[in-house]
């Protein structure tokens, strides 16, 4: 157990999305902290579920992204409080990667019973598209339903009073035993800067901000020669832009599936799907088995002179209008200089962090929501409760730092980095039960959240969950095949 003398009184949460919502609720329900403050740079609650179609999508420098030099810290005033004029470097959404990764028709892709938190079920509200595609039992929720669900967690508990929206944490530094946050609120005609101090910091900013591109030979020169052709799935907004266009979609995971099937009805046929290897096992090849989808190996070279794409099997494509990279994201925390330095020296992971949750060197710094592999958002709840309980001086201690470092080394040896490193897939029950063990039971007389034992039935639901979408993929493919047959019969 932690000693009372080390219990923090003031806690800051960065991020008002799903992870920030459950982190805030868990902290409040410990009834131990004098000050809890939540900061989010967006103007509304919801984090990455805040739809931003009004912000023109784009990447200011693909070269900086590929080289790991994007999303750098901004200059901060020397004295506080301060006011500064707005600028593209500080306020530009493309420079700061503050637009969200949502498209017009985006829905959740996890069944509500697994995605929701244990005390906050998802509403039964279905969009017209979900009803059309999956019927009244549709298990997916429209992006705005999810955002409103996140907002409800803040509002119902009165936690919205703890929020500072339109407020970016520009720097978080440990000084003399406390976290000093440099904050910038965006006002209509200026930036207002100030500082606040805390004893602990919970980072819940997510990992869907910074697009990741593989460094394919010729990519940067191709992008310079043909601006606008290279797109990341983060910046896919709607299918209309691709009407009649020759398109290549790169990747074998969920974002690639979504983009591919959004543009299929309007793009030039075939739409090319380029994969480095087998697609994610949950869906297999079902998303790609369509008469208007042509499978290609991975791209090994972009030719900036001719515009030609070269594939691993020696084949080529010319006159391509767009190449959409569904290649996921990378981590970036420019407001935490010492963590950002570690990130830049690693490969697409959050280094120096134990169980994707606690900073190994300083457990007053914790992370919620920096993981993947399914069971999101549910896994965030287990993280949040364990973090809140430990910060409250309750629960059970973490293993010694050497053991935590050994855990990290083992994962690096096994996965190096990328999605496999920060995925909890294949050991869901172990991860959940570890966090439940750290959290322990709520203190008597408090409103602390109770973590249930991992239910093996969740795994059964998880394994069967992709079948709903697979059936939809197969249905759409069959319909297209029948239309092709009918068309040929008329000729």
């Amino acid at each position: 157990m932690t000693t009372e003398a080390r219990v923090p009184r003031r806690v800051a949460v960065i991020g008002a999305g799903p992870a920030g919502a459950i982190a805030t609720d868990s902290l409040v329900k410990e009834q131990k902290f004098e000050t809890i403050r939540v900061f989010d740079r967006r103007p509304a609650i919801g984090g990455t579920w805040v739809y931003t179609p009004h912000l023109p999508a784009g990447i200011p420098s693909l070269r900086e992204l590929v080289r790991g030099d994007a999303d750098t810290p901004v200059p901060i005033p020397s004295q506080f409080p301060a006011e500064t004029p707005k600028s593209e470097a500080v306020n530009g959404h493309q420079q700061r990667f503050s637009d969200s990764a949502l498209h017009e028709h985006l829905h959740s892709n996890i069944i509500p019973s697994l995605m929701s938190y244990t005390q906050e079920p998802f509403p039964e509200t279905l969009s017209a598209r979900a009803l059309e595609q999956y019927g009244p039992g549709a298990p997916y929720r429209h992006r705005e339903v999810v955002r409103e669900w996140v907002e409800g967690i803040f509002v119902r508990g009165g936690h919205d009073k703890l929020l500072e929206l339109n407020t970016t944490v520009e720097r978080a530094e440990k000084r003399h035993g406390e976290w000093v946050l440099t904050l910038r609120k965006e006002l209509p005609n200026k930036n207002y800067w100030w500082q606040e101090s805390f004893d602990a910091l919970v980072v819940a900013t997510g990992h869907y901000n910074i697009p990741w591109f593989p460094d394919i030979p010729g990519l940067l020169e191709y992008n310079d020669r043909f601006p606008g052709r290279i797109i990341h799935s983060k910046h896919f907004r709607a299918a209309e832009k691709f009407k009649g266009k020759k398109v290549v979609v790169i990747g074998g995971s969920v974002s690639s599936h979504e983009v591919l099937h959004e543009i299929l009805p309007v793009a030039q046929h075939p739409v090319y799907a380029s994969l480095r290897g087998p697609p994610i096992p949950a869906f297999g090849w079902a998303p790609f088995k369509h008469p208007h989808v042509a499978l290609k190996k991975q791209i090994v070279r972009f030719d900036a002179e001719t515009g030609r794409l070269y594939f691993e099997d020696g084949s080529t494509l010319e006159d391509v209008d767009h190449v959409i990279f569904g290649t996921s994201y990378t981590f970036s925390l420019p407001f935490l200089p010492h963590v950002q330095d570690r990130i830049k020296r690693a490969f697409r992971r959050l280094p120096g962090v134990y169980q994707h949750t606690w900073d190994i060197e300083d457990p007053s710094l914790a992370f919620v929501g920096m993981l993947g592999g399914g069971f999101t958002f549910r896994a965030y709840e287990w993280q949040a409760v364990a973090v809140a309980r430990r910060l409250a001086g309750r629960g059970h201690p973490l293993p010694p730092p050497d053991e935590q470092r050994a855990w990290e080394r083992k994962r690096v040896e096994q996965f190096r980095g990328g999605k496999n490193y920060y995925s909890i897939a294949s050991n869901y029950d172990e991860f959940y039960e570890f966090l439940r063990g750290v959290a322990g039971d709520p203190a008597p007389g408090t409103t602390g959240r109770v973590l249930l034992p991992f239910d093996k039935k969740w795994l059964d639901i998880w394994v069967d969950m992709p079948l709903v979408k697979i059936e939809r993929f197969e249905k759409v493919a069959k319909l297209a095949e029948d239309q092709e047959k009918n068309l040929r019969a008329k000729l």
Side-chain angles (χ1 to χ4, degrees), residues 136-151:
Y140 308 119
R141 301 294 180 264
H142 186 259
R143 52 173 171 75
E144 183 58 18
V145 172
V146 177
R147 192 205 66 77
E148 290 174 353
W149 174 81
V150 175
E151 185 175 55

Side-chain angles (χ1 to χ4, degrees), residues 89-103:
V90 173
N91 300 90
H93 71 277
Q94 292 185 2
Q95 293 286 346
R96 305 304 304 275
F97 298 92
S98 57
D99 53 334
S100 59
L102 301 180
H103 61 78

Side-chain angles (χ1 to χ4, degrees), residues 134-188:
Y134 300 102
Y140 308 119
R141 301 294 180 264
H142 186 259
R143 52 173 171 75
E144 183 58 18
V145 172
V146 177
R147 192 205 66 77
E148 290 174 353
W149 174 81
V150 175
E151 185 175 55
I153 297 173
F154 276 100
V155 173
R156 284 192 302 274
H159 311 335
D160 52 326
K161 299 179 181 65
L162 310 176
L163 265 167
E164 285 280 356
L165 296 173
N166 275 323
T167 301
T168 302
V169 178
E170 296 290 9
R171 205 77 86 243
E173 298 173 298
K174 198 76 174 283
R175 300 179 195 165
H176 309 296
E178 62 181 14
W179 287 99
V180 179
L181 269 56
T182 300
L183 304 158
R184 177 183 59 81
K185 182 177 282 290
E186 184 169 331
L187 301 174

Side-chain angles (χ1 to χ4, degrees), residues 283-360:
F283 296 98
W285 292 101
F288 305 100
K289 290 183 177 179
H290 189 287
H292 300 151
V293 174
L295 287 170
K296 303 291 288 183
K297 297 288 188 180
Q298 68 175 335
I299 298 174
V300 294
R301 183 163 70 92
F302 288 84
D303 191 322
E305 293 299 319
T306 64
R308 188 177 293 124
L309 310 184
Y310 289 82
F311 296 87
E312 191 177 44
D313 60 3
S315 64
T316 62
L317 275 180
E318 299 184 19
D319 302 319
V320 170
D321 294 300
H322 293 290
V323 181
I324 306 174
F325 282 73
T327 47
S328 194
Y329 299 82
T330 191
F331 291 90
S332 183
L333 300 170
F335 57 89
L336 276 169
H338 71 291
V339 177
Q340 186 76 337
D341 182 61
R342 297 192 315 227
I343 289 172
K344 286 184 176 296
R345 289 185 280 111
F347 175 69
R348 295 181 63 201
R349 65 185 184 91
L350 190 56
V353 175
Y354 177 59
Q355 293 285 352
H356 317 292
T357 307
W358 286 278
D359 188 273
I360 296 173

Side-chain angles (χ1 to χ4, degrees), residues 220-391:
L220 299 179
E221 294 78 10
Y222 183 94
N223 184 63
D224 291 340
R225 176 71 174 81
F226 304 104
R229 284 193 186 181
I230 300 296
I231 301 172
H232 192 274
S233 59
K234 176 183 178 177
H235 296 131
F236 175 80
R237 295 290 178 264
E240 286 71 26
K241 174 179 179 178
F242 304 93
K243 187 174 182 178
K245 302 297 185 182
K246 187 174 183 178
V247 182
V248 178
V249 179
I250 297 177
S253 194
V254 175
S255 59
S256 304
H257 302 171
E258 293 220 349
V259 171
L260 185 64
H261 282 266
E262 284 289 321
I263 68 175
L264 265 176
V266 299
Q268 180 186 129
H269 293 161
V271 176
Y272 297 91
S274 171
L275 284 80
R276 180 179 57 182
I280 56 170
F283 296 98
W285 292 101
F288 305 100
K289 290 183 177 179
H290 189 287
H292 300 151
V293 174
L295 287 170
K296 303 291 288 183
K297 297 288 188 180
Q298 68 175 335
I299 298 174
V300 294
R301 183 163 70 92
F302 288 84
D303 191 322
E305 293 299 319
T306 64
R308 188 177 293 124
L309 310 184
Y310 289 82
F311 296 87
E312 191 177 44
D313 60 3
S315 64
T316 62
L317 275 180
E318 299 184 19
D319 302 319
V320 170
D321 294 300
H322 293 290
V323 181
I324 306 174
F325 282 73
T327 47
S328 194
Y329 299 82
T330 191
F331 291 90
S332 183
L333 300 170
F335 57 89
L336 276 169
H338 71 291
V339 177
Q340 186 76 337
D341 182 61
R342 297 192 315 227
I343 289 172
K344 286 184 176 296
R345 289 185 280 111
F347 175 69
R348 295 181 63 201
R349 65 185 184 91
L350 190 56
V353 175
Y354 177 59
Q355 293 285 352
H356 317 292
T357 307
W358 286 278
D359 188 273
I360 296 173
E361 303 301 326
D362 183 356
S364 73
L365 172 60
F367 302 86
V368 176
M370 301 293 196
L371 49 77
F375 281 83
T376 49
F377 309 130
R378 181 67 58 83
Y380 304 168
E381 180 178 357
W382 265 244
Q383 285 184 294
V385 174
V387 166
R389 196 86 24 96
R390 289 295 303 143
L391 289 177

